[in-house]
Amino acid sequence: HCAIDMLFTRSLLSVFEEDAGNLTDYTNQLLQSMQRVFGAQSEMGLATEQLSQQLLAYEKKNFALGKGDEEVITTLQSFAKTVGELNSLHSELANQMADSMVFPLIQFREKDLTGRDVDIFKHMQKFIILKSDMVKEVAYTRRKQHQASLQYYCALNALQYRKRVAMLEPMLGYTQAQISFFKKGIELVSKKMDNFLASVSKMTQNIQVQLDAEAEAMRVSQRELLSVEDTVYMPDKDNDPVNRTLIQKAGYLNIRNKTGLVTTAWDRLFFFTQGGNLMCQPRGAVAGGMVLDLDNSSVMAVECEDRRYCFQITSPSGKTSMILQAESKREYEEWICTVNNISRQIYLTDNPEAVAIRLNQTAIQAVTPITSFEKIIKFSNRGIPPTAPKHDTNREKTPLNSPEPEDLIAPGTPIQFDIMLPASEFQDQNRAGGRRTNPFGETDDEYSLLQQVFAVRFLGSMAVRCGNNQEVIYEAMRQVLAARAIHNIFRTTESHLMVTSSSLRLIDPQTQVTRISFQLGEVCQFAAHQENGRLMGFVVEGRDWSDGDEEGEPSFSAFVFESNTEGEKICYTISLAKDITEAKKVIMKIQLLPLTLYKALIEIL
């Protein structure tokens, strides 16, 4: 039948070939599963090796809170040794799987299932067509074809037996490899290992007991802390009084940084003062760096659209400024007071704390004398003890010629903390063709021999009773500073004070608009503060026509300023301007004399 193309032979052969095809598909799927198992075992060996290395690396981490980790380090080293031995077992198991499970199945697929789709009867038909031409060759070829057919049929028959061996042999090798792995694992986990694992388990149980005790203590603490009233979580819930005598301060502040032409962003950074410098320590930095020199600087409260408790620190030159935000009202006021104390260079004195306390007490005690019982109750409710008038407590120590505070300033006199320019006057000065003051030398006034500009901040003004004594200026300073301290008014407006040989002008530095001006003849007194050289003030004489008198009654007003430079310089400049004015008057009188008297006066001089 092998040599003749018959229908029976073809049908029988198709059954064998179909069975061989199904066996090939199943063998490929089985091989993929076994290769996956082998890959997982190989990955297990690599994973255990990496785990052993990580356990040994715990000792090299140098944890900052690693106190008491000696037992843990020793235990992890023992585990690393055990995992290393397990790694060798896993690697050996992977090699056994490769040799006894994967390789036999691959060999069966390549040797017995490849190249079996030979169409023998196709060659027979070809030989039948050519038998009339080449008889001998056809006979020889048919013999060879017959021989190949016999070998092919024998291979198909043998395949039925080999597939049984091919299916069982890989699983036999896999099972034997696993048994060997477990036997060696049992040898590894000996009684010594059992004792080690028992000690580790006991240690973890002790740690868990300690953790449970600590967790219970923390839960009790949380219940106690959370049992407080909701008012504790309210903003600005800080009952501690504000310390206005600080010369050092540290804490977190939000600083406003410009990110574009009109956009800004807030960053939370740690700020602290060191000497006369404001320092900042960015995130991740080991130490802080200087941000601003606070000597002779100015600090003022500012309003921001999206933030509260904001204040601005400006350098003495006015070129550098920064806006900061505190986290609470108390921090906000203490930062302003601290910067203000440092700007006065209190830290350079021998006992800066005592100087700061004395200045603060002086400012509080120098409040306007209280004459009514209602005002005493009002200040007592604010937590400030009512103080008796200065003349009642120190009357015996006061010289006879020293005026009393009531003689200088009337009790209850209102204080003006800012100079508001009327809208009509502002429009007049800014209308086309209107006059603006240039503080750098060009004016439309008559020729002036002296023009000096000082950067000042207006602190306040108030009516006074006399203008012939410098004590009225000192008393006005004390009352203005005391009122600002008591009412928490820290905002000031920086202006330019122009001193000329004819007038004093307070000019807005941005718009160059004159806020207020005085003729030099109206300034009857001027003086700088005796302790704080940056404070200065002057008294202006005016007329009061409220009584209907044609000449008017004389009235006096004191103006108090804080300058970036020494107040004595401003006072010296005003004194020089007055001398120039007097010299002008003398020259004018001399020019009006007759020529003969003028020549005689020249000869006498």
Side-chain angles (χ1 to χ4, degrees):
H1 296 289
C2 295
I4 303 174
D5 185 9
M6 297 179 63
L7 181 62
F8 172 76
T9 305
R10 283 178 173 270
S11 298
L12 185 60
L13 183 61
S14 63
V15 174
F16 276 86
E17 289 181 344
E18 182 180 359
D19 185 81
N22 292 333
L23 180 60
T24 302
D25 295 338
Y26 177 78
T27 302
N28 291 331
Q29 296 175 2
L30 181 61
L31 180 60
Q32 290 179 359
S33 300
M34 291 184 176
Q35 287 177 340
R36 185 176 180 182
V37 173
F38 168 72
Q41 186 60 42
S42 300
E43 181 63 26
M44 187 66 179
L46 297 175
T48 51
E49 181 181 2
Q50 185 179 5
L51 176 60
S52 177
Q53 295 175 357
Q54 288 296 326
L55 294 176
L56 293 175
Y58 181 85
E59 183 181 4
K60 301 178 182 178
K61 288 300 181 180
N62 295 326
F63 292 100
L65 302 177
K67 184 178 181 181
D69 283 353
E70 292 78 8
E71 295 182 356
V72 177
I73 293 174
T74 305
T75 306
L76 289 180
Q77 290 176 350
S78 301
F79 274 120
K81 181 180 179 181
T82 303
V83 173
E85 295 176 355
L86 289 175
N87 174 42
S88 62
L89 295 180
H90 283 294
S91 300
E92 184 178 355
L93 178 58
N95 295 331
Q96 291 178 359
M97 286 183 179
D99 296 336
S100 60
M101 181 180 69
V102 179
F103 178 72
L105 195 59
I106 293 176
Q107 190 177 17
F108 168 71
R109 186 187 65 174
E110 299 296 333
K111 182 178 180 182
D112 297 328
L113 296 179
T114 303
R116 296 300 178 187
D117 53 348
V118 181
D119 192 353
I120 298 175
F121 299 102
K122 180 179 179 181
H123 296 281
M124 282 187 174
Q125 294 175 0
K126 182 177 180 181
F127 298 150
I128 294 173
I129 296 173
L130 301 175
K131 66 182 179 178
S132 59
D133 298 331
M134 302 173 66
V135 178
K136 293 182 179 181
E137 288 78 359
V138 170
Y140 177 77
T141 305
R142 291 184 66 182
R143 182 181 179 87
K144 291 292 185 180
Q145 185 268 340
H146 189 201
Q147 183 180 357
S149 298
L150 291 174
Q151 293 177 356
Y152 180 66
Y153 296 153
C154 291
L156 291 177
N157 290 328
L159 183 62
Q160 302 302 316
Y161 297 95
R162 290 178 180 174
K163 71 177 182 180
R164 302 173 187 176
V165 177
M167 297 299 107
L168 299 177
E169 185 180 4
M171 293 308 302
L172 179 62
Y174 172 75
T175 306
Q176 290 177 349
Q178 291 288 353
I179 292 174
S180 177
F181 173 76
F182 288 126
K183 286 182 178 180
K184 293 181 179 180
I186 292 174
E187 295 176 359
L188 176 64
V189 185
S190 59
K191 292 183 179 181
K192 182 178 179 181
M193 192 67 184
D194 292 339
N195 296 332
F196 170 71
L197 294 177
S199 63
V200 173
S201 177
K202 185 177 180 180
M203 182 175 65
T204 55
Q205 291 176 1
N206 294 333
I207 295 175
Q208 185 64 36
V209 170
Q210 296 176 4
L211 175 60
D212 294 340
E214 184 68 21
E216 182 62 26
M218 287 190 292
R219 282 192 292 269
V220 172
S221 299
Q222 289 178 4
R223 285 194 297 267
E224 293 177 355
L225 294 175
L226 296 177
S227 62
V228 298
E229 298 179 357
D230 293 338
T231 55
V232 176
Y233 300 99
M234 296 296 180
D236 299 332
K237 182 61 178 180
D238 196 349
N239 297 324
D240 296 334
V242 178
N243 189 355
R244 305 181 186 280
T245 62
L246 295 175
I247 57 174
Q248 288 184 347
K249 184 70 176 174
Y252 280 96
L253 296 173
N254 296 322
I255 181 172
R256 188 171 74 174
N257 296 321
K258 192 172 183 180
T259 58
L261 295 177
V262 294
T263 58
T264 58
W266 294 86
D267 294 329
R268 187 172 184 267
L269 300 175
F270 185 80
F271 288 85
F272 61 96
T273 60
Q274 185 175 10
N277 301 323
L278 178 64
M279 314 291 287
C280 175
Q281 184 172 352
R283 298 183 185 89
V286 179
M290 189 183 77
V291 178
L292 189 65
D293 185 3
L294 298 179
D295 287 345
N296 298 322
S297 63
S298 62
V299 57
M300 59 182 292
V302 295
E303 293 183 359
C304 297
E305 296 179 357
D306 57 340
R307 302 278 176 141
R308 61 177 182 173
Y309 305 144
C310 297
F311 58 95
Q312 178 177 339
I313 304 176
T314 307
S315 63
S317 62
K319 297 181 179 179
T320 304
S321 64
M322 62 176 60
I323 295 179
L324 303 171
Q325 181 203 16
E327 296 181 350
S328 64
K329 185 177 181 181
R330 178 172 174 270
E331 288 290 314
Y332 160 76
E333 295 182 4
E334 286 189 352
W335 270 106
I336 292 179
C337 293
T338 303
V339 174
N340 191 31
N341 292 336
I342 295 176
S343 66
R344 299 178 181 180
Q345 299 182 354
I346 296 177
Y347 65 94
L348 297 178
T349 60
D350 295 335
N351 193 352
E353 290 81 3
V355 175
I357 293 174
R358 186 172 68 254
L359 291 178
N360 180 67
Q361 291 177 349
T362 303
I364 294 179
Q365 294 176 358
V367 69
T368 303
I370 301 173
T371 58
S372 64
F373 179 75
E374 291 79 3
K375 291 184 179 181
I376 295 176
I377 297 297
K378 181 178 179 182
F379 281 96
S380 299
N381 293 334
R382 291 184 180 179
I384 301 175
T387 56
K390 187 175 180 180
H391 66 282
D392 293 338
T393 57
N394 299 326
R395 181 179 298 273
E396 297 178 359
K397 299 180 181 180
T398 305
L400 296 177
N401 57 354
S402 177
E404 299 293 339
E406 290 85 351
D407 299 336
L408 301 175
I409 301 176
T413 302
I415 300 176
Q416 181 178 353
F417 295 107
D418 198 0
I419 298 177
M420 302 299 295
L421 188 66
S424 59
E425 185 176 349
F426 180 81
Q427 294 175 358
D428 292 340
Q429 293 193 29
N430 286 276
R431 190 179 296 116
R435 183 181 64 181
R436 287 195 181 190
T437 303
N438 187 345
F440 298 102
E442 298 179 3
T443 64
D444 295 334
D445 298 335
E446 60 182 0
Y447 177 73
S448 178
L449 296 177
L450 176 65
Q451 284 185 351
Q452 187 69 34
V453 178
F454 301 93
V456 297
R457 286 172 294 280
F458 178 71
L459 299 181
S461 63
M462 59 191 308
V464 296
R465 289 183 169 179
C466 62
N468 57 355
N469 195 337
Q470 289 186 351
E471 293 294 331
V472 70
I473 300 178
Y474 301 146
E475 181 65 21
M477 290 180 181
R478 286 191 291 269
Q479 294 196 17
V480 168
L481 293 178
R484 281 182 170 269
I486 291 176
H487 299 291
N488 296 328
I489 302 175
F490 300 103
R491 177 177 299 181
T492 58
T493 303
E494 185 167 344
S495 304
H496 288 166
L497 180 63
M498 175 186 286
V499 182
T500 67
S501 58
S502 60
S503 64
L504 298 181
R505 292 184 180 182
L506 195 65
I507 302 171
D508 190 325
Q510 297 181 353
T511 62
Q512 300 303 320
V513 173
T514 300
R515 292 179 175 270
I516 192 171
S517 63
F518 305 101
Q519 294 298 320
L520 199 59
E522 299 175 353
V523 180
C524 53
Q525 284 292 337
F526 51 91
H529 197 277
Q530 296 175 344
E531 295 182 359
N532 186 359
R534 296 172 57 192
L535 293 179
M536 65 84 54
F538 55 82
V539 179
V540 178
E541 182 180 358
R543 292 291 173 179
D544 184 8
W545 289 275
S546 60
D547 296 337
D549 191 359
E550 294 182 356
E551 296 182 358
E553 294 293 331
S555 61
F556 301 94
S557 299
F559 293 80
V560 180
F561 297 89
E562 181 184 21
S563 63
N564 292 339
T565 58
E566 296 181 1
E568 290 291 344
K569 295 182 180 179
I570 302 178
C571 295
Y572 173 77
T573 305
I574 296 176
S575 176
L576 181 61
K578 281 185 167 291
D579 293 342
I580 293 175
T581 302
E582 294 297 329
K584 281 185 178 181
K585 293 180 181 180
V586 173
I587 293 174
M588 291 295 297
K589 291 179 180 179
I590 293 176
Q591 291 178 351
L592 294 176
L593 292 176
L595 182 59
T596 56
L597 294 177
Y598 180 74
K599 290 182 179 179
L601 183 60
I602 293 298
E603 292 177 357
I604 294 174
L605 295 176

